[in-house]
Amino acid sequence: MRADRVRGHLDGLLMAVLEQGPLHGYAIITAVQQRSGGVLDLRTGTIYPALNKLERLGLLTSSWESVGERRRRSYRLTDAGRRSLAEERTAWREFTVAIGSVLNPGAEPRSAI
Amino acid sequence: MRADRVRGHLDGLLMAVLEQGPLHGYAIITAVQQRSGGVLDLRTGTIYPALNKLERLGLLTSSWESVGERRRRSYRLTDAGRRSLAEERTAWREFTVAIGSVLNPGAEPRSAI
DNA sequence: GTGCTATGTATTGGCAGCCAACATATAACT
DNA sequence: AGTTATATGTTGGCTGCCAATACATAGCAC
C-alpha cells in the first residue's frame, strides 16, 4: 500500500504508539510497522519533522538518553497529547464512517475501530 | 471535519457514486454530500480535474447533455472503472485496518465497510 | 423587473504534508 | 573488513486537494 495515504493521520499514529510509554524515533517506526502488520513503513523524513511539530505544539516532550556511547531522543506524550489523541480517534471514526458510506452505501455504517 | 483528508481516496468516491448510473459534476458533489451525511463537501476545483484524470485513464467516459438551454456533462463508469473501483474498495479496507490497528491496538481488527 | 439563490462547468495559483535522497555515527555480527 | 542494524536528522521536491475566480442559465420571491 502507498504509505503516502497516511497523510492527515500521521499525528494520531505517532501519539498512539506513545500512549503506553515513551519511545525514541527509531522505535516509533518499528512499532508502527509491527502494529500495522508490516503495512505502514514510515520514513525518517516523515516522522522527525512531525515529532518536532508535535513537541512545538506541546503534545509531546522529548529528552536525550544515553545507551553506551549511543544517544537516543525519547518522546513522551503530554496530557495535552492524550487529549489530542482522543480527538484524533474521534476524527478517525467520523472519517471512516463518512468515506465508507460513500464507498459502500447500503452496508452497515461502522467505524474502523 | 477537514475535507482535505479525502486526499488519496477521492477517485474511489467519484467512481462509487457513478456505480449505479451516470451523473454530471454538480450531481456528483451533492451525491457525495448526501451519502456522507453532509460531512464531505467536495469543491469544483477538486472534482473537475479529478474527473478529467479518470477519463484520461479510461475509467470514465463523458458526454454532453442538454437540458433546455443548459448543458451538462455526464460521466459514466467504464468496465475498467468498475474494476478500478473494486481495487479501491480493497485498498480502503486494507488502509482502515492498518491505521485502525495502530490507532486502536487491541480492538477487534475490522474494516470500515 | 430585480435581486438572490440554485444549478452548472471550468481554470489557476497556492500550499500542506509526505517522501526520497542524502549525511552521519555507533554497534553487532560474519 | 564488510555488511547490517540501530540511531538521528535535513533539504528539496512533488502530489493532490483547496480557495478564489470566472462565467452562464434558471427559478423564485418581492
Side-chain angles (χ1 to χ4, degrees):
Chain A
M1 188 180 70
R2 287 158 45 202
D4 165 70
R5 298 214 184 187
V6 174
R7 187 181 281 265
H9 309 286
L10 180 63
D11 295 354
L13 296 184
L14 297 177
M15 291 191 288
V17 295
L18 291 175
E19 195 177 23
Q20 284 115 9
L23 290 176
H24 58 280
Y26 194 83
I28 290 174
I29 291 176
T30 57
V32 169
Q33 235 167 18
Q34 285 172 8
R35 282 211 210 173
S36 68
V39 174
L40 298 179
D41 190 22
L42 305 181
R43 304 312 175 88
T44 64
T46 299
I47 66 153
Y48 287 116
L51 290 169
N52 286 336
K53 186 198 68 180
L54 292 176
E55 184 170 17
R56 209 170 54 243
L57 292 174
L59 307 178
L60 303 179
T61 54
S62 72
S63 59
W64 286 98
E65 286 178 359
S66 281
V67 181
E69 206 60 32
R70 183 177 282 156
R71 66 201 184 112
R72 284 178 180 169
R73 191 159 162 189
S74 187
Y75 296 90
R76 178 187 299 272
L77 206 57
T78 64
D79 286 345
R82 287 179 197 281
R83 287 192 293 274
S84 179
L85 174 56
E87 287 164 16
E88 289 282 347
R89 285 184 170 131
T90 302
W92 170 249
R93 252 169 247 127
E94 288 171 1
F95 170 76
T96 53
V97 167
I99 303 281
S101 309
V102 178
L103 254 193
N104 303 281
E108 282 299 280
R110 59 160 69 148
S111 65
I113 297 186
Chain B
M1 188 181 65
R2 287 158 47 200
D4 165 69
R5 299 215 182 187
V6 174
R7 186 180 283 262
H9 309 286
L10 179 64
D11 295 354
L13 296 183
L14 297 178
M15 293 191 287
V17 295
L18 292 175
E19 195 177 22
Q20 284 117 7
L23 290 176
H24 59 279
Y26 195 83
I28 290 175
I29 291 177
T30 56
V32 169
Q33 233 168 20
Q34 284 172 9
R35 283 213 209 171
S36 68
V39 175
L40 299 179
D41 189 22
L42 306 181
R43 305 311 175 90
T44 65
T46 298
I47 67 153
Y48 287 116
L51 290 169
N52 287 335
K53 187 198 69 181
L54 293 175
E55 184 169 17
R56 211 169 54 243
L57 293 173
L59 307 178
L60 302 179
T61 54
S62 72
S63 59
W64 286 100
E65 286 177 359
S66 281
V67 181
E69 206 60 33
R70 183 179 281 158
R71 66 202 184 110
R72 285 178 179 170
R73 191 160 165 189
S74 185
Y75 296 91
R76 177 187 299 272
L77 206 56
T78 65
D79 288 345
R82 286 179 198 281
R83 287 192 293 275
S84 179
L85 174 55
E87 289 165 16
E88 289 283 348
R89 285 183 170 133
T90 302
W92 170 250
R93 253 169 247 127
E94 289 171 1
F95 170 75
T96 53
V97 168
I99 304 281
S101 308
V102 177
L103 253 194
N104 301 281
E108 282 299 280
R110 59 163 67 149
S111 65
I113 295 185

